[in-house]
Amino acid sequence: MIVLGAVEIKKGVYWVGAIDWDIRHFHGPSYHTPKGTTYNAYLIIDEKVTLVDIVDADFVGVMLENIKEIIDPSKIEYVIVNHVEPDHSGGFPKLMEYAPNAKVFCSKNGKDAMGHHYFGDYSYEVVKTGDVISLGKNTIRFIEAPMLHWPDSMFSYIEEESLLLPNDAFGQHLASSKIFDDENDLWEIMMEGKKYFANILMPFSPLIIKKIEEIVNMGLKIDMIAPSHGMIWRSHPEKIIEKYMEWARAEGERKAVIVYDTMWNSTEKMARAILDGLVSEGVATRLYRVSISDVNDIITDVLDAKAVLVASSTINNTMIPNMAYFLEELMGLKPKNKLGASFGSYGWGKGAVANIEKKLKETGIQLVKEGLQIKYVPTEEDLKMCYDYGKEIGKLI
Ligand code: FEO
């Protein structure tokens, strides 16, 4: 564990979180984090010393060391739990050993979830959208944000500093010794933000649109967004808000993603010919062989694509199993406004394309062409048919 030390991000507001350089899988195995992550917690020094969010249990010692650089943790009177998932609340019991009388602010669902995670006798105060508390010089306004990322989630907004603390929203799984966006590569941060949105928040896109519109209508001035993972947006916080709206609306670019797997390369030949057809229509196209690709990267590309083409050779009357994993992920993430199609080779029995089409339909993807199936090895004529298949889909995008 490495202690970065407390960092003042606004007057009297300190980052006191922890960097997890080593984590490579988040949410169990489903989210790959090759660049690690951070658990951001924020300490506000005021008449009421307040901690906003905590950290994962394994890192609570680091957080406490950071707090001790600024103040004795026993002086904390308010703890705000914006989100109960253990990466943000795991250190709660240890923290409360230092400040057993602290008042704990959370949403109604947050109180329920806290009760199911931590069994001590704590002093909870339930807050809802519009509630404000005074810390002395600073005022905190609460905004419930259910499903960003759990039903309990909420944002805290420090009015005097125009600082939004939205927990998971606008976060990225990215570890760095520098905590501000402008101290890092902005493009890299935005890409990690996109991956985070695609792989965690995509199912909640309609709620995200409503929540952002609600915040805009509140007329809140936002100078800085300090999420609970990754870098703090201080150079252009509006840019990540604009991107969230764009991703959530899922209008899609003239872009297609082909995801395939292949046994003896016949389906691969089909995929490459279909890719050529799409490209001939000016469609930006990405090709992924699922068994050698990172599913999170594929999903990230699906986020702003208009079409998803999924292909597999048939084995045992169905698709190659790696494809089933990808499709299960995709179905859970509920991508909106996507066109789709399926294709693949077969030998003596079919099955892959029909099962893929079934999954795509269950995902809500609109099938725009009948599945294309070729027996054993594609001929030159078959490959021309594949090219035309891609071209026809390209015209629809
Ligand atoms: Fe970063 Fe939903 O927890």
Side-chain angles (χ1 to χ4, degrees):
M1 289 193 285
I2 293 176
V3 180
L4 177 64
V7 180
E8 190 170 31
I9 65 165
K10 282 271 193 179
K11 195 166 167 37
V13 182
Y14 296 84
W15 177 92
V16 289
I19 303 175
D20 189 345
W21 301 102
D22 293 341
I23 190 168
R24 291 295 176 268
H25 294 98
F26 202 84
H27 279 166
S30 72
Y31 192 119
H32 302 154
T33 47
K35 297 172 185 172
T37 194
T38 70
Y39 313 108
N40 300 336
Y42 300 98
L43 179 71
I44 306 165
I45 300 299
D46 206 325
E47 287 168 31
K48 296 285 184 189
V49 176
T50 302
L51 184 68
V52 183
D53 295 320
I54 312 161
V55 297
D56 183 278
D58 289 345
F59 292 85
V60 67
V62 176
M63 183 192 75
L64 288 165
E65 287 305 310
N66 288 338
I67 292 171
K68 283 176 191 170
E69 282 186 12
I70 308 299
I71 200 164
D72 183 336
S74 67
K75 304 269 190 252
I76 293 172
E77 289 189 67
Y78 289 170
V79 176
I80 295 173
V81 177
N82 278 327
H83 179 28
V84 180
E85 194 163 11
D87 51 326
H88 306 296
S89 74
F92 177 76
K94 189 74 188 167
L95 170 74
M96 296 308 279
E97 288 176 17
Y98 286 80
N101 298 317
K103 194 178 276 189
V104 182
F105 295 89
C106 55
S107 67
K108 184 167 176 283
N109 286 326
K111 183 179 175 188
D112 176 62
M114 287 295 280
H116 286 282
H117 282 78
Y118 311 108
F119 311 121
D121 186 18
Y122 302 111
S123 172
Y124 292 108
E125 181 157 333
V126 168
V127 291
K128 59 185 186 313
T129 297
D131 286 352
V132 293
I133 56 170
S134 173
L135 310 185
K137 292 190 291 292
N138 291 292
T139 311
I140 295 193
R141 175 180 295 273
F142 298 105
I143 304 161
E144 290 164 279
M147 302 320 296
L148 268 87
H149 150 238
W150 277 9
D152 58 276
S153 295
M154 64 179 194
F155 299 171
S156 297
Y157 173 72
I158 306 178
E159 294 188 338
E160 290 73 10
E161 298 296 338
S162 304
L163 170 59
L164 184 67
L165 304 168
N167 197 271
D168 275 341
F170 310 116
Q172 333 93 46
H173 284 311
L174 181 60
S176 171
S177 65
K178 297 286 188 182
I179 64 168
F180 291 106
D181 55 355
D182 51 278
E183 297 176 313
N184 291 277
D185 179 342
L186 195 56
W187 182 86
E188 181 187 35
I189 301 168
M190 197 57 89
M191 285 300 103
E192 289 298 329
K194 182 181 177 187
K195 178 177 170 182
Y196 191 95
F197 186 102
N199 288 276
I200 294 182
L201 298 177
M202 183 153 55
F204 315 119
S205 293
L207 293 172
I208 289 168
I209 293 171
K210 277 192 192 152
K211 188 53 55 185
I212 291 177
E213 286 173 349
E214 182 187 327
I215 289 172
V216 168
N217 290 336
M218 284 178 180
L220 302 185
K221 180 170 179 280
I222 297 174
D223 278 352
M224 184 184 284
I225 298 175
S228 287
H229 294 295
M231 306 305 115
I232 295 170
W233 302 94
R234 79 170 169 188
S235 64
H236 293 289
E238 72 285 356
K239 286 207 185 310
I240 187 64
I241 296 175
E242 286 164 15
K243 279 290 174 191
Y244 262 49
M245 281 302 261
E246 182 185 317
W247 295 329
R249 286 189 179 123
E251 283 160 1
E253 298 173 5
R254 275 204 91 220
K255 172 179 165 184
V257 179
I258 302 174
V259 189
Y260 76 98
D261 218 333
T262 194
M263 201 185 310
W264 294 106
N265 301 334
S266 292
T267 301
E268 179 174 11
K269 286 175 186 161
M270 293 176 73
R272 288 177 184 269
I274 288 170
L275 177 139
D276 287 344
L278 285 159
V279 170
S280 75
E281 286 299 318
V283 176
T285 308
R286 293 280 171 91
L287 179 73
Y288 288 101
R289 181 171 177 171
V290 75
S291 54
I292 56 168
S293 303
D294 185 317
V295 166
N296 300 134
D297 288 340
I298 303 175
I299 299 280
T300 305
D301 253 327
V302 167
L303 178 65
D304 55 9
K306 193 71 199 160
V308 188
L309 283 68
V310 181
S312 172
S313 325
T314 287
I315 180 169
N316 300 328
N317 301 114
T318 189
M319 68 194 86
I320 293 174
N322 285 321
M323 189 56 76
Y325 175 84
F326 166 73
L327 287 171
E328 205 62 33
E329 278 280 322
L330 191 67
M331 187 163 67
L333 291 166
K334 301 182 178 66
K336 306 282 182 303
N337 304 331
K338 306 293 178 207
L339 308 179
S342 178
F343 59 92
S345 67
Y346 66 97
W348 56 96
K350 297 177 182 174
V353 167
N355 284 336
I356 289 170
E357 285 181 331
K358 184 166 174 281
K359 281 284 182 193
L360 291 176
K361 275 191 214 161
E362 286 171 12
T363 302
I365 291 175
Q366 182 196 346
L367 298 178
V368 290
K369 292 279 288 177
E370 191 179 327
L372 182 60
Q373 304 185 73
I374 286 171
K375 186 163 184 172
Y376 286 121
V377 177
T379 62
E380 282 304 313
E381 201 174 301
D382 290 332
L383 291 176
K384 173 71 173 58
M385 189 164 60
C386 291
Y387 177 87
D388 290 342
Y389 189 82
K391 204 170 176 60
E392 286 160 25
I393 293 174
K395 285 189 170 64
L396 298 171
I397 297 176

